[in-house]
Amino acid sequence: MEALRLILRYAHLIGFALLLGGAIVQFVSAKLRINPAMLWGAVIQVLTGLALSAPLRGGGDAEPSPAKLAVKLVIAVLIFVMVFVPWRRKREDVNRGHFIGIIAMTLINVAVATFWR
């Protein structure tokens, strides 16, 4: 089970890299649009996050708190919706505030994962 958890964590980090990297590339290029890397990153983050929250570790003190998992899930779903809706509507440009919101919520979700014990 430990190998499965490590593989899921690896995929989760790849999803984070795709989401944040794709957003930063678009932000720096001044063309604020949702690219496929951002969409795939958001999808991978939600799916692997759900899989990682399954009780694979056998309980005990190593288990993350349910409140932390709930907060991370809500943020991840909001990020996914903010990425998916403009992409689905084939919008050429996304509002600057919307785009900064995606980046900020991605960084907040990582901060919750890192600092909430």
Side-chain angles (χ1 to χ4, degrees), residues 32-35 82 84-95 98:
L32 302 180
R33 56 179 79 156
I34 305 300
N35 60 26
M82 289 178 72
F84 183 75
V85 169
W87 178 81
R88 179 75 172 119
R89 292 185 180 172
K90 308 268 191 253
R91 293 173 77 186
E92 284 297 316
D93 293 326
V94 180
N95 291 339
H98 182 97

PDB file of all heavy atoms in Angstrom, residues 32-35 82 84-95 98:
ATOM      1  N   LEU A  32      -4.075  35.887 -20.846  1.00  0.00           N
ATOM      2  CA  LEU A  32      -4.755  35.209 -19.750  1.00  0.00           C
ATOM      3  C   LEU A  32      -5.867  34.320 -20.290  1.00  0.00           C
ATOM      4  O   LEU A  32      -7.010  34.732 -20.417  1.00  0.00           O
ATOM      5  CB  LEU A  32      -5.299  36.233 -18.759  1.00  0.00           C
ATOM      6  CG  LEU A  32      -4.259  37.165 -18.144  1.00  0.00           C
ATOM      7  CD1 LEU A  32      -4.912  38.116 -17.181  1.00  0.00           C
ATOM      8  CD2 LEU A  32      -3.164  36.373 -17.481  1.00  0.00           C
ATOM      9  N   ARG A  33      -5.490  33.093 -20.599  1.00  0.00           N
ATOM     10  CA  ARG A  33      -6.476  32.110 -21.040  1.00  0.00           C
ATOM     11  C   ARG A  33      -6.147  30.775 -20.411  1.00  0.00           C
ATOM     12  O   ARG A  33      -5.026  30.528 -20.000  1.00  0.00           O
ATOM     13  CB  ARG A  33      -6.539  32.026 -22.557  1.00  0.00           C
ATOM     14  CG  ARG A  33      -5.233  31.717 -23.239  1.00  0.00           C
ATOM     15  CD  ARG A  33      -5.394  31.624 -24.724  1.00  0.00           C
ATOM     16  NE  ARG A  33      -5.449  32.976 -25.276  1.00  0.00           N
ATOM     17  CZ  ARG A  33      -5.140  33.291 -26.500  1.00  0.00           C
ATOM     18  NH1 ARG A  33      -4.766  32.355 -27.331  1.00  0.00           N
ATOM     19  NH2 ARG A  33      -5.203  34.519 -26.929  1.00  0.00           N
ATOM     20  N   ILE A  34      -7.142  29.929 -20.341  1.00  0.00           N
ATOM     21  CA  ILE A  34      -6.969  28.607 -19.741  1.00  0.00           C
ATOM     22  C   ILE A  34      -6.355  27.689 -20.794  1.00  0.00           C
ATOM     23  O   ILE A  34      -6.904  27.499 -21.867  1.00  0.00           O
ATOM     24  CB  ILE A  34      -8.332  28.037 -19.267  1.00  0.00           C
ATOM     25  CG1 ILE A  34      -9.037  29.005 -18.312  1.00  0.00           C
ATOM     26  CG2 ILE A  34      -8.136  26.670 -18.635  1.00  0.00           C
ATOM     27  CD1 ILE A  34      -8.284  29.325 -17.050  1.00  0.00           C
ATOM     28  N   ASN A  35      -5.195  27.117 -20.472  1.00  0.00           N
ATOM     29  CA  ASN A  35      -4.542  26.212 -21.410  1.00  0.00           C
ATOM     30  C   ASN A  35      -4.773  24.759 -20.983  1.00  0.00           C
ATOM     31  O   ASN A  35      -5.214  24.500 -19.861  1.00  0.00           O
ATOM     32  CB  ASN A  35      -3.052  26.549 -21.551  1.00  0.00           C
ATOM     33  CG  ASN A  35      -2.296  26.444 -20.253  1.00  0.00           C
ATOM     34  OD1 ASN A  35      -2.663  25.717 -19.350  1.00  0.00           O
ATOM     35  ND2 ASN A  35      -1.215  27.196 -20.157  1.00  0.00           N
ATOM     36  N   MET A  82     -13.270  26.882 -11.633  1.00  0.00           N
ATOM     37  CA  MET A  82     -12.746  28.126 -12.208  1.00  0.00           C
ATOM     38  C   MET A  82     -11.915  27.885 -13.460  1.00  0.00           C
ATOM     39  O   MET A  82     -11.802  28.755 -14.312  1.00  0.00           O
ATOM     40  CB  MET A  82     -11.908  28.878 -11.171  1.00  0.00           C
ATOM     41  CG  MET A  82     -12.727  29.480 -10.060  1.00  0.00           C
ATOM     42  SD  MET A  82     -11.714  30.316  -8.828  1.00  0.00           S
ATOM     43  CE  MET A  82     -11.213  31.765  -9.744  1.00  0.00           C
ATOM     44  N   PHE A  84     -12.403  24.930 -15.465  1.00  0.00           N
ATOM     45  CA  PHE A  84     -13.211  24.203 -16.444  1.00  0.00           C
ATOM     46  C   PHE A  84     -14.231  25.087 -17.159  1.00  0.00           C
ATOM     47  O   PHE A  84     -14.407  24.968 -18.376  1.00  0.00           O
ATOM     48  CB  PHE A  84     -13.931  23.028 -15.765  1.00  0.00           C
ATOM     49  CG  PHE A  84     -14.730  22.201 -16.718  1.00  0.00           C
ATOM     50  CD1 PHE A  84     -14.100  21.332 -17.592  1.00  0.00           C
ATOM     51  CD2 PHE A  84     -16.116  22.283 -16.766  1.00  0.00           C
ATOM     52  CE1 PHE A  84     -14.818  20.556 -18.484  1.00  0.00           C
ATOM     53  CE2 PHE A  84     -16.844  21.528 -17.653  1.00  0.00           C
ATOM     54  CZ  PHE A  84     -16.199  20.657 -18.511  1.00  0.00           C
ATOM     55  N   VAL A  85     -14.901  25.958 -16.440  1.00  0.00           N
ATOM     56  CA  VAL A  85     -15.988  26.747 -17.044  1.00  0.00           C
ATOM     57  C   VAL A  85     -15.484  27.641 -18.186  1.00  0.00           C
ATOM     58  O   VAL A  85     -16.040  27.593 -19.286  1.00  0.00           O
ATOM     59  CB  VAL A  85     -16.763  27.544 -15.970  1.00  0.00           C
ATOM     60  CG1 VAL A  85     -17.705  28.546 -16.597  1.00  0.00           C
ATOM     61  CG2 VAL A  85     -17.524  26.585 -15.061  1.00  0.00           C
ATOM     62  N   PRO A  86     -14.432  28.442 -17.997  1.00  0.00           N
ATOM     63  CA  PRO A  86     -13.965  29.242 -19.140  1.00  0.00           C
ATOM     64  C   PRO A  86     -13.423  28.380 -20.284  1.00  0.00           C
ATOM     65  O   PRO A  86     -13.583  28.722 -21.453  1.00  0.00           O
ATOM     66  CB  PRO A  86     -12.846  30.110 -18.555  1.00  0.00           C
ATOM     67  CG  PRO A  86     -13.048  30.096 -17.103  1.00  0.00           C
ATOM     68  CD  PRO A  86     -13.716  28.809 -16.776  1.00  0.00           C
ATOM     69  N   TRP A  87     -12.784  27.259 -19.954  1.00  0.00           N
ATOM     70  CA  TRP A  87     -12.256  26.376 -20.998  1.00  0.00           C
ATOM     71  C   TRP A  87     -13.403  25.770 -21.802  1.00  0.00           C
ATOM     72  O   TRP A  87     -13.345  25.712 -23.016  1.00  0.00           O
ATOM     73  CB  TRP A  87     -11.413  25.271 -20.370  1.00  0.00           C
ATOM     74  CG  TRP A  87     -10.877  24.319 -21.379  1.00  0.00           C
ATOM     75  CD1 TRP A  87      -9.771  24.495 -22.160  1.00  0.00           C
ATOM     76  CD2 TRP A  87     -11.435  23.057 -21.751  1.00  0.00           C
ATOM     77  NE1 TRP A  87      -9.605  23.409 -22.981  1.00  0.00           N
ATOM     78  CE2 TRP A  87     -10.612  22.515 -22.752  1.00  0.00           C
ATOM     79  CE3 TRP A  87     -12.544  22.346 -21.319  1.00  0.00           C
ATOM     80  CZ2 TRP A  87     -10.876  21.290 -23.331  1.00  0.00           C
ATOM     81  CZ3 TRP A  87     -12.803  21.114 -21.897  1.00  0.00           C
ATOM     82  CH2 TRP A  87     -11.966  20.608 -22.896  1.00  0.00           C
ATOM     83  N   ARG A  88     -14.454  25.362 -21.133  1.00  0.00           N
ATOM     84  CA  ARG A  88     -15.613  24.742 -21.797  1.00  0.00           C
ATOM     85  C   ARG A  88     -16.327  25.734 -22.705  1.00  0.00           C
ATOM     86  O   ARG A  88     -16.819  25.372 -23.761  1.00  0.00           O
ATOM     87  CB  ARG A  88     -16.573  24.196 -20.741  1.00  0.00           C
ATOM     88  CG  ARG A  88     -17.804  23.559 -21.281  1.00  0.00           C
ATOM     89  CD  ARG A  88     -17.468  22.191 -21.840  1.00  0.00           C
ATOM     90  NE  ARG A  88     -18.682  21.506 -22.189  1.00  0.00           N
ATOM     91  CZ  ARG A  88     -18.967  21.107 -23.417  1.00  0.00           C
ATOM     92  NH1 ARG A  88     -18.123  21.313 -24.387  1.00  0.00           N
ATOM     93  NH2 ARG A  88     -20.082  20.491 -23.670  1.00  0.00           N
ATOM     94  N   ARG A  89     -16.370  26.976 -22.283  1.00  0.00           N
ATOM     95  CA  ARG A  89     -17.040  28.011 -23.082  1.00  0.00           C
ATOM     96  C   ARG A  89     -16.151  28.555 -24.190  1.00  0.00           C
ATOM     97  O   ARG A  89     -16.533  29.466 -24.906  1.00  0.00           O
ATOM     98  CB  ARG A  89     -17.491  29.152 -22.180  1.00  0.00           C
ATOM     99  CG  ARG A  89     -18.602  28.750 -21.251  1.00  0.00           C
ATOM    100  CD  ARG A  89     -19.075  29.920 -20.474  1.00  0.00           C
ATOM    101  NE  ARG A  89     -20.154  29.537 -19.583  1.00  0.00           N
ATOM    102  CZ  ARG A  89     -20.670  30.309 -18.672  1.00  0.00           C
ATOM    103  NH1 ARG A  89     -20.198  31.538 -18.522  1.00  0.00           N
ATOM    104  NH2 ARG A  89     -21.640  29.890 -17.912  1.00  0.00           N
ATOM    105  N   LYS A  90     -14.949  28.033 -24.311  1.00  0.00           N
ATOM    106  CA  LYS A  90     -13.986  28.423 -25.356  1.00  0.00           C
ATOM    107  C   LYS A  90     -13.702  29.926 -25.335  1.00  0.00           C
ATOM    108  O   LYS A  90     -13.570  30.556 -26.367  1.00  0.00           O
ATOM    109  CB  LYS A  90     -14.497  28.013 -26.741  1.00  0.00           C
ATOM    110  CG  LYS A  90     -14.899  26.571 -26.848  1.00  0.00           C
ATOM    111  CD  LYS A  90     -13.739  25.736 -27.306  1.00  0.00           C
ATOM    112  CE  LYS A  90     -14.223  24.357 -27.667  1.00  0.00           C
ATOM    113  NZ  LYS A  90     -13.863  23.350 -26.725  1.00  0.00           N
ATOM    114  N   ARG A  91     -13.605  30.475 -24.129  1.00  0.00           N
ATOM    115  CA  ARG A  91     -13.319  31.907 -24.009  1.00  0.00           C
ATOM    116  C   ARG A  91     -11.869  32.166 -24.371  1.00  0.00           C
ATOM    117  O   ARG A  91     -10.969  31.477 -23.928  1.00  0.00           O
ATOM    118  CB  ARG A  91     -13.598  32.378 -22.586  1.00  0.00           C
ATOM    119  CG  ARG A  91     -15.088  32.302 -22.261  1.00  0.00           C
ATOM    120  CD  ARG A  91     -15.349  32.603 -20.834  1.00  0.00           C
ATOM    121  NE  ARG A  91     -15.276  34.038 -20.610  1.00  0.00           N
ATOM    122  CZ  ARG A  91     -15.346  34.557 -19.405  1.00  0.00           C
ATOM    123  NH1 ARG A  91     -15.476  33.810 -18.353  1.00  0.00           N
ATOM    124  NH2 ARG A  91     -15.284  35.870 -19.269  1.00  0.00           N
ATOM    125  N   GLU A  92     -11.665  33.169 -25.178  1.00  0.00           N
ATOM    126  CA  GLU A  92     -10.309  33.524 -25.589  1.00  0.00           C
ATOM    127  C   GLU A  92      -9.512  34.101 -24.425  1.00  0.00           C
ATOM    128  O   GLU A  92      -8.364  33.746 -24.229  1.00  0.00           O
ATOM    129  CB  GLU A  92     -10.358  34.525 -26.747  1.00  0.00           C
ATOM    130  CG  GLU A  92     -10.703  33.878 -28.064  1.00  0.00           C
ATOM    131  CD  GLU A  92      -9.663  32.853 -28.500  1.00  0.00           C
ATOM    132  OE1 GLU A  92      -8.454  33.132 -28.402  1.00  0.00           O
ATOM    133  OE2 GLU A  92     -10.071  31.763 -28.930  1.00  0.00           O
ATOM    134  N   ASP A  93     -10.106  35.012 -23.691  1.00  0.00           N
ATOM    135  CA  ASP A  93      -9.408  35.654 -22.585  1.00  0.00           C
ATOM    136  C   ASP A  93     -10.219  35.505 -21.305  1.00  0.00           C
ATOM    137  O   ASP A  93     -11.447  35.477 -21.325  1.00  0.00           O
ATOM    138  CB  ASP A  93      -9.194  37.143 -22.863  1.00  0.00           C
ATOM    139  CG  ASP A  93      -8.233  37.382 -24.016  1.00  0.00           C
ATOM    140  OD1 ASP A  93      -7.292  36.580 -24.161  1.00  0.00           O
ATOM    141  OD2 ASP A  93      -8.429  38.350 -24.759  1.00  0.00           O
ATOM    142  N   VAL A  94      -9.516  35.411 -20.199  1.00  0.00           N
ATOM    143  CA  VAL A  94     -10.125  35.305 -18.881  1.00  0.00           C
ATOM    144  C   VAL A  94      -9.803  36.599 -18.133  1.00  0.00           C
ATOM    145  O   VAL A  94      -8.725  37.169 -18.299  1.00  0.00           O
ATOM    146  CB  VAL A  94      -9.557  34.084 -18.124  1.00  0.00           C
ATOM    147  CG1 VAL A  94     -10.164  33.956 -16.749  1.00  0.00           C
ATOM    148  CG2 VAL A  94      -9.795  32.815 -18.924  1.00  0.00           C
ATOM    149  N   ASN A  95     -10.739  37.065 -17.317  1.00  0.00           N
ATOM    150  CA  ASN A  95     -10.493  38.280 -16.530  1.00  0.00           C
ATOM    151  C   ASN A  95      -9.249  38.109 -15.660  1.00  0.00           C
ATOM    152  O   ASN A  95      -8.975  37.028 -15.150  1.00  0.00           O
ATOM    153  CB  ASN A  95     -11.684  38.595 -15.625  1.00  0.00           C
ATOM    154  CG  ASN A  95     -12.884  39.033 -16.402  1.00  0.00           C
ATOM    155  OD1 ASN A  95     -12.771  39.481 -17.538  1.00  0.00           O
ATOM    156  ND2 ASN A  95     -14.048  38.888 -15.794  1.00  0.00           N
ATOM    157  N   HIS A  98      -9.978  36.802 -12.157  1.00  0.00           N
ATOM    158  CA  HIS A  98     -10.314  35.377 -12.193  1.00  0.00           C
ATOM    159  C   HIS A  98      -9.030  34.548 -12.277  1.00  0.00           C
ATOM    160  O   HIS A  98      -8.869  33.553 -11.564  1.00  0.00           O
ATOM    161  CB  HIS A  98     -11.219  35.106 -13.399  1.00  0.00           C
ATOM    162  CG  HIS A  98     -11.670  33.703 -13.540  1.00  0.00           C
ATOM    163  ND1 HIS A  98     -12.888  33.280 -13.078  1.00  0.00           N
ATOM    164  CD2 HIS A  98     -11.067  32.613 -14.077  1.00  0.00           C
ATOM    165  CE1 HIS A  98     -13.020  31.995 -13.341  1.00  0.00           C
ATOM    166  NE2 HIS A  98     -11.923  31.562 -13.945  1.00  0.00           N
TER     167      HIS A  98
END
